[in-house]
Amino acid sequence: MGPPVIRWAVFAACALAWEALSRSAGNRFFPPPSQIAARMYEMWFSGPYILTDQAIEHFAPSLGRLAAGLAGAVVAGVVLGFVLGRSEKARAYADPVLQLFRAVPPPLLVPVFIVLLSVGTQMQLATIAFATLWPILLNTADGVKGVDRQHLETAQVFRLTAVQRLWRVLVPSALPKVFAGLRLSMSVALILMVFAELMPGSSNGIGYLLQDAYAVGDLPRMWSAVVLIGVLGYALNAVLLAVQRRVLAWQGG
């Protein structure tokens, strides 16, 4: 990636081009960024403490669902990934099931989750967790499987216990792959969070806000939600990258 100044200059150029094209076209379906930004500020960032009541009402549930669904996927994916990564037989037995479920688009399972869990928060969390599980699980298993055998042999020579080998050898060696899976799952979780909130029965969240704005024909409000989702994705990825750099500082990356 280029220097931050260049990257933000490219972003500004794209925004100005969008502004010019939208104003010249005069198409109500594609409002200019200045109008979208003004609407975003009015709806969500003009409260007494920055955020408005509407923002708190919709942002907090969305972020809560995203965090809870992703956390469940991380716990299950890392634990199962370590088990599969350490056992060749377990990988061989589980591989057909893993490949089958990984290939199923999560939105197709929403009707199943609705039947099992009914419409509501449980269904939304299940959708997010199911979609984000596989990148974490498969990357973790790959990272554990790829641990240098010499490192494990050295740990045996020094008579490290199983727990010590786990924390001093396996976890540090697998962390880069775990973070790679987590970054991929983060973007998937954001998409599925919005998708789950578009389902009938939702009463709050950014996805619900997007659907409601579309239903009433409030296009600036709809585009505000779309831009907000993009900004949220960028911010979450930046935070995760910062955590990754800190955790893997010993690796120089």
Side-chain angles (χ1 to χ4, degrees):
M1 294 188 296
V5 174
I6 296 178
R7 282 184 277 141
W8 284 109
V10 172
F11 173 80
C14 292
L16 290 173
W18 181 3
E19 181 82 19
L21 290 173
S22 295
R23 291 190 177 277
S24 62
N27 190 330
R28 63 183 293 268
F29 292 99
F30 297 96
S34 59
Q35 184 178 349
I36 296 173
R39 191 61 181 276
M40 290 177 69
Y41 174 78
E42 175 192 346
M43 289 192 304
W44 302 322
F45 304 111
S46 59
Y49 301 101
I50 300 178
L51 292 179
T52 63
D53 292 339
Q54 182 180 191
I56 296 173
E57 177 187 356
H58 293 287
F59 294 178
S62 287
L63 293 176
R65 293 180 190 112
L66 187 147
L70 189 59
V74 168
V75 172
V78 170
V79 172
L80 292 175
F82 268 86
V83 172
L84 295 179
R86 292 294 293 152
S87 172
E88 187 174 347
K89 286 186 177 180
R91 285 198 306 275
Y93 293 144
D95 186 67
V97 177
L98 294 178
Q99 299 304 325
L100 173 65
F101 279 105
R102 184 182 69 161
V104 176
L108 295 183
L109 291 177
V110 169
V112 177
F113 291 138
I114 291 177
V115 171
L116 295 176
L117 304 172
S118 74
V119 175
T121 302
Q122 289 183 328
M123 179 274 292
Q124 295 166 335
L125 294 180
T127 302
I128 295 170
F130 179 86
T132 55
L133 171 65
W134 312 111
I136 298 172
L137 191 160
L138 295 174
N139 274 274
T140 301
D142 189 50
V144 175
K145 177 186 174 184
V147 173
D148 193 329
R149 184 171 295 276
Q150 290 183 347
H151 294 170
L152 295 173
E153 292 172 352
T154 302
Q156 289 179 342
V157 169
F158 282 94
R159 300 181 183 278
L160 297 184
T161 65
V163 174
Q164 289 174 325
R165 289 199 300 271
L166 174 65
W167 289 108
R168 297 185 181 183
V169 180
L170 293 175
V171 170
S173 299
L175 271 179
K177 284 282 190 177
V178 173
F179 271 106
L182 185 55
R183 287 184 63 193
L184 180 58
S185 291
M186 179 73 78
S187 60
V188 174
L190 186 62
I191 295 170
L192 267 296
M193 176 199 77
V194 175
F195 180 83
E197 291 173 349
L198 294 175
M199 294 294 101
S202 297
S203 59
N204 54 35
I206 301 173
Y208 170 80
L209 200 67
L210 177 65
Q211 177 71 11
D212 183 66
Y214 173 77
V216 299
D218 191 343
L219 297 177
R221 182 180 170 211
M222 182 190 77
W223 275 100
S224 297
V226 172
V227 172
L228 177 65
I229 293 166
V231 172
L232 182 60
Y234 180 88
L236 291 174
N237 184 66
V239 170
L240 187 56
L241 274 176
V243 173
Q244 178 179 342
R245 291 193 188 101
R246 186 173 182 84
V247 172
L248 300 181
W250 55 270
Q251 224 184 24

